[in-house]
Amino acid sequence: MNLLSSYRSRTMPPAVQFTEVSRTFGEVKAVDQVSIDILDGEFFSMLGPSGSGKTTCLRLIAGFEQPSSGSIRIHGSEAAGLPPYLRDVNTVFQDYALFPHMNVRDNVAYGLKVKGVAKAERYARADEALAMVALDGYATRKPAQLSGGQRQRVALARALVNRPRVLLLDEPLGALDLKLREQMQGELKKLQRKLRITFIFVTHDQTEALSMSDRVAVFNRGRIEQVDTPRNLYMQPATTFVAEFVGTSNVLRGAIAEQLSGSAQPFSIRPEHIRLDGQPGPHEVQVAGVLRDVQYQGSATRLEIVLDSGQLLAVSQANDQWLAQPQPWQPGQRVLAHWPRAAMTSLKETPA
Amino acid sequence: MSVAVATTGTPLRRLGNLLYRRPNLYLLMLLIPPLLWFGAIYLGSLLNLLWQGFYTFDDFSMTVTPELTLVNFAALFNPANFDIILRTLSMAVAVSLASAALAFPIAWYMARYTTGRTKAFFYIAVMMPMWASYIVKTYAWTLLLAKGGVAQWFVQRLHLEGLLQLLLDIPGVGGSTLSTSHLGRFLVFVYIWLPFMILPIQASLERLPPSLLQASADLGAKPRQTFMQVVLPLAVPGIAAGSIFTFSLTLGDFIVPQLVGPPGYFIGSMVYAQQGAIGNMPMAAAFTLVPIVLIAVYLSIVKRLGAFDAL
């Protein structure tokens, strides 16, 4: 994998390459010295809380913003100063940004119309794009007559009709309800595999980023904390911010960290890696505490433990036994939590 | 149970309950005063006026008799009267076009670049001229445009007398001086009606999300294409609303044509003269029909062009 990616980076330029890019708005550093290589054909997510700089990065690629310093290269050529209409990237907007005065077909054909493609051909290609997102038969409707999910698909078809090499998606699923959202996640991933183009996906939803992406960049305060595969991001978070933002994690610091891991460095332990039943093995860490709260959540039970040293520890126990068991946990009960030493990941402290 | 509750209490309370249970009755009570006003006083008197257009005016005795005739409406097509209609109509079209062209950049700036205090400042700046009396403003313009007035002084300072003379020599546009030319009258009309064009266009541009412009550029449209394909179609309802004001206000005006520009009637001043000095109420009523018909035609053209599709 590492060999392959280094080979690729030598032979073909990355789809998008940021080199020490900053974007400041007055005093605010929205993007602060960001460098990333997004590979051709990759499903790349930019994940972070609101105001972390991920959307500004996307707008820098689209050309709606210009960098204050640094260089942005799209497929090897410098993009700084290029207006959006001269860039070979297309965007799916958060609010879809469909033209309200045009019907669905004209919306989708717009990119071809402004390039001077003849009517017959652009309508044929628009209908093809609509078929791709399963909206054939809706061509003559106005955007106002569509549901949120349908508008989303029109926006997707409209962005894909120009056959861009890079597709930018700005929280496109944010306005959809949960079921539709999960369905669209699967469809987007399938579409990306089929078209083999680069998808750059901005989201604040870590589940979405983990389930769809080849790689994820985690943003915090205009900087990138970590760029990695979803699995590595979850299993080996590099910083306290990533450990707490991606999934749920217990980040232990100071004396308790030193007591449990032997090092003053903060570390992370995932709630589902902690056991409360059985006896600790020889390579396990153990710590005692009192159960404070028990929440039954269906597939798992979430427990909150107050350690004797005062810290809180979140624990998740899978309800993976088919037979119904009496709930063994009671608040106030004393428990011994234990986990394998290898499940702990030591972290770099993210400055607050 | 609910009936028992509704029929007890003070009469006022019972009325309140009744209205709550019958929302249509409530709506009807709300609408009766404006309907009466609009129906009886406004539409009634308008129809009554138009009806008088069918009455007969005796040139000799200068009296009106209620004998119905179509002579007045036919007289609108006399060369002299038709000239008045054409003159007014072309002025109204020119004023609307010029107002739209001038108003658009101002409206664009207000909608896109101002917020909070600066927006309030622009609203006040646009509406302030409407606080002053319209007649005072028109008289002020006669002085500004007069021979030896401020306008002429400016033109001289800029050494553009030659250009001004060239403009004034164009037949149908010019005249002997600015204040007695069609051009001067046009300037005054544009000045007076401009706020009525700026505000509706500004309102329509305000509703245009910035992401639409970005989406257009993102799909490869150059700024000119974005303007023609996205901005203009979505601003057209505002331009149409503004032009209805400028168009109909110019059609009906009778002060500006009397004070500024060359001699010759406008529809408004013709109505004023017919019913005032001459006492020919039927002819005045017939002339009143002209702006109504013209605006109806104008609206149907605008609608045909799809101006209201984006509403």
Side-chain angles (χ1 to χ4, degrees), chain B:
Chain B
M1 183 66 196
S2 64
V3 175
V5 170
T7 50
T8 58
T10 64
L12 205 63
R13 160 73 52 207
R14 289 215 303 272
L15 180 69
N17 288 342
L18 179 72
L19 289 180
Y20 186 81
R21 279 182 282 118
R22 302 267 172 104
N24 285 339
L25 188 66
Y26 186 55
L27 196 62
L28 191 69
M29 281 180 63
L30 203 66
L31 288 179
I32 280 174
L35 279 177
L36 273 179
W37 176 268
F38 192 76
I41 299 182
Y42 181 76
L43 274 183
S45 49
L46 185 67
L47 290 176
N48 185 26
L49 175 72
L50 291 177
W51 182 245
Q52 291 191 34
F54 294 103
Y55 286 3
T56 308
F57 179 72
D58 188 342
D59 280 331
F60 182 69
S61 62
M62 304 282 268
T63 52
V64 177
T65 48
E67 285 163 46
L68 300 186
T69 168
L70 282 172
V71 166
N72 299 313
F73 292 104
L76 290 175
F77 295 94
N78 287 347
N81 288 338
F82 199 66
D83 233 30
I84 294 170
I85 294 170
L86 272 186
R87 184 184 304 139
T88 314
L89 179 64
S90 45
M91 180 62 84
V93 169
V95 167
S96 297
L97 287 174
S99 299
L102 272 179
F104 198 94
I106 301 172
W108 179 262
Y109 184 81
M110 282 174 75
R112 294 274 133 188
Y113 295 95
T114 63
T115 48
R117 279 172 168 276
T118 42
K119 187 161 287 197
F121 169 79
F122 268 89
Y123 272 122
I124 292 171
V126 168
M127 286 189 285
M128 189 118 77
M130 295 204 271
W131 299 350
S133 159
Y134 152 86
I135 295 181
V136 172
K137 283 185 292 180
T138 312
Y139 269 111
W141 270 97
T142 62
L143 292 178
L144 291 178
L145 296 177
K147 220 174 176 66
V150 176
Q152 206 180 29
W153 180 81
F154 254 109
V155 168
Q156 277 164 357
R157 277 296 149 116
L158 297 169
H159 301 290
L160 293 172
E161 296 106 316
L163 184 69
L164 178 66
Q165 200 50 53
L166 211 69
L167 283 173
L168 290 180
D169 286 344
I170 302 172
V173 172
S176 57
T177 65
L178 258 183
S179 61
T180 58
S181 65
H182 288 286
L183 182 64
R185 185 181 282 162
F186 165 82
L187 289 176
V188 176
F189 269 132
V190 171
Y191 166 80
I192 288 180
W193 305 142
L194 191 60
F196 293 96
M197 185 63 99
I198 295 176
L199 294 177
I201 297 182
Q202 190 259 348
S204 70
L205 291 177
E206 200 85 46
R207 287 199 303 266
L208 181 75
S211 65
L212 286 191
L213 309 185
Q214 287 169 359
S216 175
D218 185 74
L219 292 164
K222 293 170 188 67
R224 192 182 55 83
Q225 288 173 310
T226 298
F227 181 78
M228 296 305 290
Q229 305 283 342
V230 179
V231 177
L232 204 55
L234 292 173
V236 156
I239 299 172
S243 68
I244 290 164
F245 285 125
T246 58
F247 188 73
S248 60
L249 288 171
T250 310
L251 279 186
D253 197 84
F254 65 99
I255 306 269
V256 174
Q258 284 180 44
L259 296 181
V260 187
Y265 285 113
F266 259 45
I267 293 175
S269 45
M270 188 64 182
V271 171
Y272 181 70
Q274 288 291 345
Q275 63 91 31
I278 304 169
N280 186 348
M281 203 57 160
M283 196 60 218
F287 259 107
T288 309
L289 186 68
V290 176
I292 297 174
V293 170
L294 287 178
I295 287 165
V297 170
Y298 176 72
L299 279 181
S300 63
I301 291 173
V302 167
K303 188 174 184 300
R304 187 76 51 87
L305 291 175
F308 304 117
D309 290 0
L311 283 182

